[in-house]
Amino acid sequence: MPITPATVTHSASDGTADAILLELVDENGVTIGTAEKLSAHQPPGQLHRAFSVFLFDEQGRLLLQQRALGKYHSPGVWSNTCCGHPYPGEAPFAAAARRTYEELGVSPSLLAEAGTVRYNHPDPTSGLVEQEYNHLFVGLVQSPLAPDPEEVGATAFVTAAELAERHSEGPFSAWFMTVLDAARPAIRELTGPSADW
C-alpha cells in the first residue's frame, strides 16, 4: 500500500498499525465522536462518515471493483469504483482521492462532489452493518490502472446495460444500488444522455 501523509499519521512509532478510527456523525452529518472501524460496523452499527467514488472512462463506462477475497467486510463482491471512510478530521474529498490511488493506483483526472446519502444496510454474509452517512463523488479515469491485490480482486468497465446484466447475476455489495441511485443525477451530468445512466 502506498504511504501517504494520511496513512503515516495513523501508524504507530514502532511500525505497527494503530486501530483505524472512523468519524461518528449525527443524522445531519455533524461529527459527534469517533469509533474503531470494526466496532462501528457491529450490529446495530454506529452512524459514521463514508465516501463512494464512481469513475468513468471516456466512453461513459463505469469502473467497477471486485473487492479482494481477503477483506473482512464483503469480500469477493462487486461494488463501485472505490469506497471507504475518511480518517477523523480528513475531508471526504481528500479521502476519496487518497483511497482511489491506494486501491487502484490511479488518480482521477476529474473528481466532483455528487451529494450525500444516508443508509442502514446489514450484510447477511458477514453479520456486519453499514450504518453510513456517505459522501458521493463522480469523476473520470484516463490512465492505466494498477490495482493493489490486497484491496482489489478484479476490475471491469461496464455500460449501464452491462451493469444491469451483471447485477442480476450478482453478487454485489449491500450498499451498491443505494449509492449508485443517489449519484445518478451527477453521473448523468458527467456522462451525458447517450451513456444512458
Side-chain angles (χ1 to χ4, degrees):
M1 177 178 86
I3 301 291
T4 67
T7 54
V8 169
T9 61
H10 293 273
S11 298
S13 58
D14 63 1
T16 61
D18 287 338
I20 296 173
L21 295 179
L22 305 185
E23 199 169 82
L24 300 180
V25 299
D26 66 15
E27 293 291 337
N28 297 310
V30 176
T31 303
I32 58 171
T34 61
E36 191 277 324
K37 182 178 179 181
L38 184 57
S39 69
H41 290 87
Q42 298 288 343
Q46 294 175 279
L47 183 59
H48 57 274
R49 194 176 309 283
F51 64 83
S52 289
V53 176
F54 296 86
L55 295 183
F56 294 81
D57 67 8
E58 292 171 340
Q59 289 78 48
R61 297 179 304 167
L62 171 62
L63 174 58
L64 295 178
Q65 174 189 140
Q66 184 181 36
R67 295 167 61 85
L69 291 174
K71 294 180 85 73
Y72 77 89
H73 190 347
S74 302
V77 302
W78 288 91
S79 198
N80 48 295
T81 308
C82 180
C83 54
H85 309 91
Y87 292 125
E90 182 182 25
F93 183 93
R98 171 179 60 80
R99 284 303 290 163
T100 299
Y101 182 79
E102 290 173 352
E103 292 186 10
L104 294 160
V106 65
S107 295
S109 56
L110 170 78
L111 192 63
E113 294 183 11
T116 59
V117 62
R118 193 265 196 247
Y119 53 80
N120 177 2
H121 285 303
D123 177 28
T125 305
S126 67
L128 300 175
V129 177
E130 287 291 359
Q131 189 71 266
E132 293 187 331
Y133 187 93
N134 197 309
H135 296 257
L136 308 170
F137 299 93
V138 300
L140 297 174
V141 59
Q142 296 175 305
S143 52
L145 305 176
D148 178 348
E150 291 187 15
E151 298 286 345
V152 181
T155 60
F157 282 97
V158 297
T159 65
E162 290 166 342
L163 175 61
E165 185 176 326
R166 276 178 176 255
H167 191 262
S168 68
E169 297 168 357
F172 273 74
S173 64
W175 61 87
F176 176 72
M177 286 309 297
T178 300
V179 293
L180 175 64
D181 287 344
R184 278 187 200 274
I187 290 170
R188 290 182 184 124
E189 187 174 332
L190 175 73
T191 60
S194 62
D196 202 29
W197 288 102

